[in-house]
Amino acid sequence: MTNKTILIVDDEAPIREMIAVALEMADYDWLEAADATEAHSQVVDKQPDLILLDWMLPNTSGIELARRLKRDPVTADIPIIMLTARSEEDNKVLGLEAGADDYITKPFSPRELVARLKAVLRRATPPGIEDPVEVEGLRLDPVSHRVTGKGKPLEVGPTEFRLLQFFMTHQERAYTRSQLLDQVWGGNVYVEERTVDVHIRRLRKALGEEHEHLVQTVRGTGYRFSTHN
């Protein structure tokens, strides 16, 4: 076993079963829940490493549960992949903005699911530098996985943390969305370039007025991290 535990949240038992088989074959431990209430108690009790969360759940929707989990500091860092039967762009972006780290549209193959899951887990626990980095009072500590602004803790999601870590260790250079996907997402072919914009917005929001200016848009190119205007 990889010792990584995945929580499957879907109200359809056959889908949970299909995913469980795929996870077992890929050496993952798994838990399951049929609705948001059951899922929330599993998350709090068992602290899974990743949540596969269906968009359409009875009573409380998957998107509402994602928002709730991301608001709670205890569960905010657990990566979420939304499972959705909807392929419209707006819903994908809505899922990302609610705090999901990726989404996968039904029907999907078990191989694709496991590939996406591995990619999200890989970037949720970033390799790389061990030393803290500090810029204008913004401090990122890779070992404790904490970000602080002028000594106050900032709530930064796992993907935003990886993005910020890359930016802070590669300052003053403009990167295209495609380059950021390669560096931060590990060249995961399933992630669209628009996803970068969503995470940049979330990162700026997390940094707040004090430090959001450090993440700059470079018109016609992409983004850069700079202390200069």
Side-chain angles (χ1 to χ4, degrees), residues 129 133 135 138-141 146-148 154 156-171 180 184 199-200 203-204 206-207 211 214-215 225:
I129 57 145
V133 205
V135 177
L138 177 67
R139 180 183 168 88
L140 179 143
D141 187 342
R146 287 200 172 97
V147 180
T148 53
L154 301 177
V156 177
T159 304
E160 288 76 48
F161 183 93
R162 181 87 178 95
L163 190 56
L164 183 61
Q165 183 180 19
F166 176 75
F167 273 145
M168 290 181 81
T169 51
H170 298 80
Q171 295 178 41
L180 288 171
V184 178
H199 285 289
I200 290 281
L203 176 58
R204 283 176 176 150
L207 295 180
H211 294 107
L214 295 169
V215 180
F225 187 92

Side-chain angles (χ1 to χ4, degrees), residues 4-8 47-53 78-81 101 116-121 124:
K4 296 278 187 190
T5 301
I6 314 300
L7 173 62
I8 309 160
Q47 289 284 306
D49 296 288
L50 182 141
I51 303 163
L52 292 171
L53 178 58
I78 302 173
I80 296 171
I81 297 180
D101 293 82
R116 300 279 276 270
L117 185 140
K118 281 181 178 169
V120 170
L121 283 171

Side-chain angles (χ1 to χ4, degrees), residues 94-109:
L94 197 63
L96 291 166
E97 286 179 339
D101 293 82
D102 202 354
Y103 52 81
I104 183 164
T105 308
K106 295 175 183 177
F108 49 81
S109 72

